[in-house]
Amino acid sequence: MPKFEYAPAPESRAVVDLQSSYGLFINGEFTDGSGTSFKSISPATEEVLAEVSAASEADIDNAVAAARKAYTRVWSKMSGADRGKYLYRIARILQERAREFAVLETLDNGKPIKESRDVDIPLAAAHFFYNAGWADKLGYAALPGGANPQPHGVVGQIIPWNFPMLMLAWKIAPALATGNTVVLKPAETTPLTALLFAEVCQQADLPPGVVNIVTGAGPTGQAIVDHPGIDKLAFTGSTGVGKMIARAISGTRKKATLELGGKAANIVFDDAPIDQAVEGIVRGIFFNQGHVCCAGSRLLVQETIADEVESRLKRRLETLRVGDPLDKNTDVGAINSRAQLDRIIALTDVGEAEGAVRWDNGCELPSKGFWFRPTVFTGVTQTHRIAQEEVFGPVLSVLTFRTPQEAVAKANNTPYGLSAGIWTEKGSRILWMADQLKAGVVWANTFNQFDPTSPFGGYKESGYGREGGRHGLEPYVKGTLS
Ligand code: NAI
Ligand code: MG
């Protein structure tokens, strides 16, 4: 097949006004913090973007106190309609400044500008619009508390690096809509858009202390989890840290929602439209470099079409453009960190050692930064670690099946249960499969589709609680289990 060369089409970074260092956002102001600091880099070039404060226990104490004061004096007394006005204002500012956010996200995270521009930032704004609409209608949302649902108070929120702004929106928008105030910690490799969001809070005249942004790594997160002034926690990240949080709060009054890992099956039947299915497989696992908790990392393909799907998939992967995330033509960007790249390398080496067959698209990789070629493993069996563990990178494991029953058994054979995909022409089979699959989200003839009106969350070790939709409001009011 002829290969087309693309002239570079770089997005300008002039729209971003990077400061050399950033403090913590507490009580509506940026403060220096009393802890140490760390650097956030661009994973595509290893360029240092900024120095960021690492919040100490004393800083968390200040942030929680600011959130408490804002909760008791202002936010809990405000009508839902007025809270909604602030959320609408934030949503509109995010839209107005969308390009700035998209470029900064791509710089700090390494994801293609095509994705931050078309997915992350528009969806983040959409979550604020959606939850703004609920703020004055909570009494009609069938929540615990009936006509008058009650917020928890101060919520601690800890988010990962794969969708920094989008995860911030998933966390902050429903918390504020329901009348809580928040202390949020972005991940240490991607703190910059959360700090830009702090500016948006100022621009929207949000009362001081309603949103506090504290940067730092694991110990800062731990200080939030352990702080006695926190009423509820919301966490997205690794299953290991999620389990630690569950242990840390057991026996306390704190509630928690946990959105953890996944090992989703993308199941292709022999009556599926193969070209569309191939696009869905690509979208399922190579979107955002595979740094997606609900990624379709296990392809289950019906045996009769396995060879054809495999060859069409490989041909398609050879056309993926891997490289400069700021280039509008780029399909696959940089791996988020050296540590994550090392994890991907280690687990794929195990895949090969255990006997699976490794293939990659052979593309050239930039000399600086963290990169991994789109990779496919065939000959994978269910006991292989690459079929069981989350690689969290651009790596697909291919398994086959003969009957729908076998597809269900294999799809469910994992400690996780976040998402799944089904590709078939038969509506009845879609419904039967969706009923059998132990996954919080099941996509039919599509994959990795997100919408603020639709709840998202897992079964088993993928966590508990839902985010998005009416269900996503529930964990933020009193009277729920999580
Ligand atoms: P992580 O779970 O350590 O990081 C997520 C967030 O938790 C970050 O903000 C981090 O600073 C914070 N954190 C770390 N230790 C903490 C602690 N003791 N208490 C409170 N907060 C803490 O994830 P990491 O190490 O970046 O990635 C490891 C693996 O986790 C990945 O390879 C991937 O498999 C999985 N992962 C899954 C995500 C998902 O969306 N489900 C997101 C990120 C990672
Ligand atoms: Mg960074």
Side-chain angles (χ1 to χ4, degrees):
M1 198 167 66
K3 265 207 173 169
F4 295 102
E5 290 305 323
Y6 281 71
E11 174 72 67
S12 164
R13 55 188 276 186
V15 64
V16 167
D17 185 16
L18 265 182
Q19 296 165 35
S20 58
S21 68
Y22 291 86
L24 310 168
F25 184 66
I26 295 176
N27 204 29
E29 287 170 1
F30 284 94
T31 69
D32 277 345
S34 63
T36 52
S37 66
F38 61 100
K39 295 177 172 65
S40 191
I41 66 170
S42 154
T45 59
E46 297 174 62
E47 167 198 350
V48 174
L49 297 171
E51 188 97 16
V52 182
S53 298
S56 65
E57 280 181 26
D59 298 324
I60 298 303
D61 220 25
N62 289 338
V64 173
R68 176 65 58 194
K69 197 171 84 191
Y71 175 72
T72 40
R73 297 203 189 156
V74 185
W75 204 245
S76 63
K77 294 196 172 137
M78 198 181 276
S79 70
D82 283 339
R83 289 198 308 272
K85 284 183 201 164
Y86 284 105
L87 291 173
Y88 278 121
R89 208 181 282 169
I90 290 171
R92 280 195 299 272
I93 297 172
L94 289 179
Q95 285 186 324
E96 281 161 20
R97 300 179 69 172
R99 225 177 118 224
E100 188 182 351
F101 270 98
V103 172
L104 185 59
E105 195 77 303
T106 283
L107 277 173
D108 202 16
N109 167 285
K111 64 174 69 205
I113 185 74
K114 191 159 78 175
E115 292 178 7
S116 48
R117 179 195 65 195
D118 297 349
V119 182
D120 296 63
I121 307 304
L123 266 178
H127 274 269
F128 278 96
F129 276 117
Y130 175 78
N131 283 284
W134 274 122
D136 63 346
K137 303 173 196 71
L138 296 173
Y140 304 96
L143 297 171
N148 198 13
Q150 291 303 305
H152 292 289
V154 178
V155 179
Q157 304 182 316
I158 298 167
I159 58 172
W161 40 264
N162 52 343
F163 293 92
M165 257 312 278
L166 185 57
M167 291 302 104
L168 175 149
W170 280 26
K171 296 281 180 285
I172 292 184
L176 297 195
T178 44
N180 301 276
T181 59
V182 311
V183 175
L184 176 134
K185 189 191 89 60
E188 54 273 36
T189 58
T190 55
L192 299 182
T193 45
L195 293 164
L196 187 59
F197 180 81
E199 272 181 40
V200 169
C201 294
Q202 290 179 324
Q203 197 182 340
D205 269 329
L206 190 70
V210 172
V211 168
N212 303 275
I213 308 281
V214 288
T215 44
T220 303
Q222 190 71 53
I224 296 175
V225 172
D226 293 339
H227 197 288
I230 295 281
D231 300 304
K232 184 214 154 37
L233 286 157
F235 172 78
T236 299
S238 62
T239 301
V241 174
K243 285 181 179 175
M244 247 173 43
I245 291 176
R247 274 196 298 271
I249 63 165
S250 69
T252 75
R253 73 193 157 83
K254 291 176 194 169
K255 307 278 183 192
T257 28
L258 303 175
E259 204 267 272
L260 311 174
K263 192 74 193 175
N266 205 355
I267 307 164
V268 182
F269 285 95
D270 60 6
D271 64 342
I274 294 196
D275 285 328
Q276 279 97 321
V278 165
E279 285 309 305
I281 296 164
V282 173
R283 185 191 179 101
I285 184 63
F286 300 107
F287 171 64
N288 201 33
Q289 296 72 246
H291 300 327
V292 182
C293 48
C294 53
S297 53
R298 287 184 299 151
L299 172 63
L300 295 185
V301 57
Q302 200 154 14
E303 205 172 81
T304 43
I305 56 162
D307 290 343
E308 189 182 357
V309 169
E310 188 186 318
S311 71
R312 287 206 217 181
L313 175 65
K314 288 178 176 173
R315 202 164 61 198
R316 174 70 179 90
L317 293 179
E318 281 169 355
T319 69
L320 284 184
R321 289 178 296 275
V322 182
D324 180 7
L326 276 174
D327 191 316
K328 291 171 211 156
N329 292 322
T330 292
D331 298 308
V332 179
I335 300 304
N336 181 255
S337 65
R338 163 81 56 198
Q340 188 58 28
L341 179 58
D342 289 344
R343 269 188 280 233
I344 296 169
I345 291 171
L347 204 45
T348 48
D349 285 350
V350 168
E352 230 175 328
E354 287 184 333
V357 180
R358 180 204 285 251
W359 176 93
D360 69 46
N361 78 348
C363 65
E364 270 181 45
L365 298 178
S367 53
K368 273 197 176 156
F370 316 130
W371 303 92
F372 199 83
R373 289 195 185 92
T375 296
V376 176
F377 277 100
T378 49
V380 178
T381 71
Q382 293 192 79
T383 53
H384 284 155
R385 281 179 59 193
I386 47 167
Q388 289 293 331
E389 295 177 29
E390 191 176 40
V391 181
F392 223 63
V395 179
L396 177 69
S397 294
V398 183
L399 298 97
T400 58
F401 68 91
R402 289 182 182 166
T403 63
Q405 287 77 5
E406 187 187 346
V408 167
K410 285 186 169 168
N412 287 339
N413 180 22
T414 143
Y416 295 113
L418 194 51
S419 64
I422 308 163
W423 297 82
T424 173
E425 206 176 53
K426 295 186 185 63
S428 58
R429 180 179 282 164
I430 290 171
L431 295 176
W432 182 82
M433 291 285 295
D435 200 39
Q436 306 290 313
L437 292 170
K438 294 202 172 48
V441 178
V442 179
W443 286 293
N445 294 322
T446 186
F447 209 93
N448 273 345
Q449 291 284 352
F450 305 99
D451 190 289
T453 64
S454 176
F456 182 95
Y459 285 80
K460 302 194 279 187
E461 293 197 12
S462 292
Y464 41 77
R466 292 292 177 267
E467 296 184 285
R470 185 196 66 76
H471 300 80
L473 299 165
E474 279 186 14
Y476 288 101
V477 300
K478 282 186 178 153
T480 42
L481 290 176
S482 57

